[in-house]
Amino acid sequence: MVKYAVVPENPSKVARARGNDIRVHFKNTREAAMVLKGMRLKAAEEYLQAVLDHKRCVPFRRFNGGVGRTGQAKEWGTTQGRWPQKSVKQLINLLRNAKANAKSKGLTTGNLFITHVAVQRAQRQRRRTYRAHGRINPYMSSPSHIEFILSEKEKAVPLPTKTGNTKPKNAYSAKKKIVTLKKARSAGHKLRKSFVDKKTKAKAVAAKKVAARSKIAAKKAAVAAKKPAAK
């Protein structure tokens, strides 16, 4: 079974294609494939065909050492670009394969987007080149593993319109709301009751103080009446 770098959540809703050890240069292929990520399938096919016709270029952002400048790269916000024919042809073939897989699954090809792109270095293949004085130097190739995952774009579900008679989501939420209201009311009742109790206690204390003062004044008056008048 072919392994992919990403496992989709719903495999029945995606179409995949992968090529191993493809004889295309890794750096050129990586730069050409990264541009396609997020594109609609039809737009990606048109773009790759335009690159073959030299009407649009592939921007080189990472592996851009020694890459020439072109005005066509302004479209991508950079200055360096190329037209890697061999890599682009292999990408077109893989996209056609993914499109055929999508049709076999019953997916709508017009709604497919490229949601995953991965280009990895494959094992280098060895050749030799002959130099002067009977020497031999390595002449290595840099093949690539390429994979695409296409998926349909999910449609946005509109929010329900609010009406006058809005009902709670479920019985549990309604019950919870009633319980919270009851708790708030009971807390308010307790607060009011404690406030009234404090007020009545303060009045009783004040009345006791007044009664004590009146008793003291009466005792003083009685003592003053018993004393004989001064001559």
Side-chain angles (χ1 to χ4, degrees), residues 4-219:
Y4 285 80
V6 173
V7 179
E9 294 180 359
N10 191 358
S12 62
K13 294 293 183 180
V14 300
R16 302 183 295 183
R18 180 179 171 87
N20 292 330
D21 297 302
I22 300 176
R23 286 292 296 271
V24 286
H25 199 277
F26 165 72
K27 294 182 180 181
N28 292 339
T29 310
R30 187 263 172 196
E31 297 293 344
M34 287 300 109
V35 185
L36 306 178
K37 190 171 183 180
M39 277 191 185
R40 193 184 289 270
L41 176 60
K42 187 177 179 181
E45 290 175 342
E46 292 174 355
Y47 166 71
L48 293 176
Q49 189 59 46
V51 172
L52 289 178
D53 299 336
H54 280 240
K55 293 179 180 178
R56 300 171 76 181
C57 76
V58 172
F60 276 62
R61 294 189 174 93
R62 178 177 293 180
F63 304 109
N64 54 5
V67 177
R69 294 176 292 176
T70 175
Q72 292 181 358
K74 289 181 181 178
E75 176 188 359
W76 309 104
T78 185
T79 57
Q80 296 171 290
R82 279 180 176 172
W83 302 265
Q85 302 284 310
K86 194 173 178 182
S87 299
V88 168
K89 287 177 182 177
Q90 290 295 336
L91 293 177
I92 289 174
N93 291 336
L94 278 174
L95 287 179
R96 286 176 182 168
N97 190 358
K99 188 176 181 180
N101 294 339
K103 286 182 179 178
S104 66
K105 283 188 171 184
L107 301 176
T108 306
T109 57
N111 296 333
L112 291 176
F113 286 79
I114 301 174
T115 55
H116 171 70
V117 181
V119 181
Q120 299 157 345
R121 293 180 189 267
Q123 184 176 0
R124 303 190 72 180
Q125 298 176 9
R126 180 175 294 276
R127 289 180 292 168
R128 61 176 63 180
T129 182
Y130 300 94
R131 309 304 297 271
H133 311 294
R135 291 176 297 130
I136 293 175
N137 281 0
Y139 208 71
M140 312 287 283
S141 64
S142 299
S144 307
H145 304 313
I146 311 169
E147 63 182 48
F148 286 105
I149 295 181
L150 312 179
S151 60
E152 292 181 344
K153 193 172 184 180
E154 296 180 356
K155 295 181 180 179
V157 180
L159 292 171
T161 55
K162 293 184 178 180
T163 57
N165 299 326
T166 56
K167 295 183 178 180
K169 293 181 181 179
N170 49 35
Y172 176 75
S173 61
K175 189 176 180 181
K176 192 175 180 181
K177 191 174 181 181
I178 292 168
V179 169
T180 52
L181 285 173
K182 284 182 178 179
K183 285 182 179 179
R185 285 174 185 169
S186 63
H189 178 68
K190 287 178 181 178
L191 186 64
R192 285 194 299 272
K193 191 176 179 182
S194 63
F195 178 73
V196 171
D197 291 344
K198 286 180 181 178
K199 202 171 181 181
T200 52
K201 284 180 180 178
K203 285 182 180 179
V205 170
K208 285 181 180 180
K209 285 182 179 180
V210 170
R213 286 173 187 169
S214 61
K215 283 183 180 180
I216 291 168
K219 285 180 180 180

